[in-house]
Amino acid sequence: MDNQLKSVVMLFAAMLLVSCNNGTKTEKSNSSSIIKEDEKPVISHVMTKEEQTRLTPDSILQEFIAGNKRFQSGTTTVRDHSKQARKSAPGQFPKAVVLSCVDSRVPVEDVFDQGLGDIFVGRVAGNFVNEDLLGSMEFACKVSGAKLVLVMGHQHCGAIKGAIDDVKLGNITAMLSKIKPAVAMSQDFTGKKLSKNDDFVKYVSENNVRYAIDQIREKSPILKEMEDKGEIKIVGVFYNLTDGTLEFLK
């Protein structure tokens, strides 16, 4: 009986020792992972005038494309926004201006993996162009040195659906009238021209971006001249909510 009890005690002790060793290895492994995560560089730098001057419209566009791929893969840059806010307070030298929809599902800076001081962002439901936004773009490019104008529509846009359905409600009625030209441009669509048809909504959204770009060139001689001289590039893009990807438009 004593020998059996002794054997059981020894077996239990051995099992306990193995368990402790495994726990120690796990703790060490977790600790190692934490250290590696902590060692990931945190960016606090902000764009300077000299850096902005060296950029080209094409290099900025390529940077945006690379940033979007990081956004899709979940490997976006780690930034110290608090330090960036303090560093950028004396002045700003953004590289681009983005006209986006007001939609809460379109986090512009995140979509392109940009930080404080990197981009101007103009937002309005349906990402259309008006006098105020044109003036903002002119300020961004002619005064502040931005070299890329990017107009971004997006998947499942409520403003586009409202324009398709001819919604009339308060100031929304006048707002949607700015999008109606894109609906008219889309009448060659071969499927059902309904707001419940995602393909049609996307088609109108893309035409809305194209129409906005046409309006920029037509109504802003300043931006048109800058584009003609190669000082800026004006680009249209469609953003997919479902996977974070971009489709550049022609």
Side-chain angles (χ1 to χ4, degrees), residues 129-223:
V129 169
N130 61 16
E131 185 180 60
D132 301 317
L133 288 164
L134 283 173
S136 298
M137 291 177 181
E138 290 172 355
F139 171 78
C141 297
K142 191 67 176 181
V143 179
S144 297
K147 298 179 180 180
L148 176 68
V149 176
L150 193 146
V151 181
M152 181 165 67
H154 70 91
Q155 185 182 27
H156 303 319
C157 181
I160 296 295
K161 292 180 180 180
I164 293 171
D165 291 338
D166 195 25
V167 169
K168 297 186 185 304
L169 177 63
N171 290 302
I172 294 176
T173 306
M175 180 189 74
L176 294 180
S177 69
K178 313 295 194 309
I179 306 172
K180 291 292 184 66
V183 179
M185 289 170 60
S186 304
Q187 292 308 301
D188 60 343
F189 184 78
T190 56
K192 292 183 178 180
K193 302 178 184 66
L194 302 172
S195 63
K196 293 182 179 179
N197 184 349
D198 289 341
D199 290 336
F200 182 58
V201 173
K202 180 182 180 183
Y203 189 60
V204 177
S205 296
E206 292 173 341
N207 278 333
N208 187 51
V209 170
R210 295 184 180 101
Y211 181 71
I213 290 175
D214 288 342
Q215 291 290 289
I216 293 170
R217 291 170 176 153
E218 178 184 331
K219 295 186 175 181
S220 176
I222 290 175
L223 296 174

Side-chain angles (χ1 to χ4, degrees), residues 31-101:
S31 175
S32 176
S33 297
I34 292 172
I35 291 173
K36 287 181 180 179
E37 183 67 25
D38 289 344
E39 288 176 351
K40 192 173 182 179
V42 179
I43 303 300
S44 62
H45 177 73
V46 295
M47 181 71 60
T48 66
K49 179 62 177 175
E50 293 72 24
E51 290 170 334
Q52 183 198 55
T53 301
R54 290 195 297 268
L55 292 171
T56 67
D58 285 329
S59 70
I60 296 167
L61 183 58
Q62 291 306 311
E63 182 183 338
F64 272 29
I65 292 171
N68 176 252
K69 291 187 182 301
R70 293 194 296 273
F71 173 70
Q72 293 174 47
S73 64
T75 58
T76 50
T77 306
V78 179
R79 293 182 170 89
D80 187 329
H81 288 119
S82 179
K83 287 184 179 179
Q84 285 188 318
R86 292 193 294 272
K87 286 183 177 181
S88 63
Q92 60 173 337
F93 307 100
K95 62 191 78 167
V97 54
V98 178
L99 171 58
S100 171
C101 181

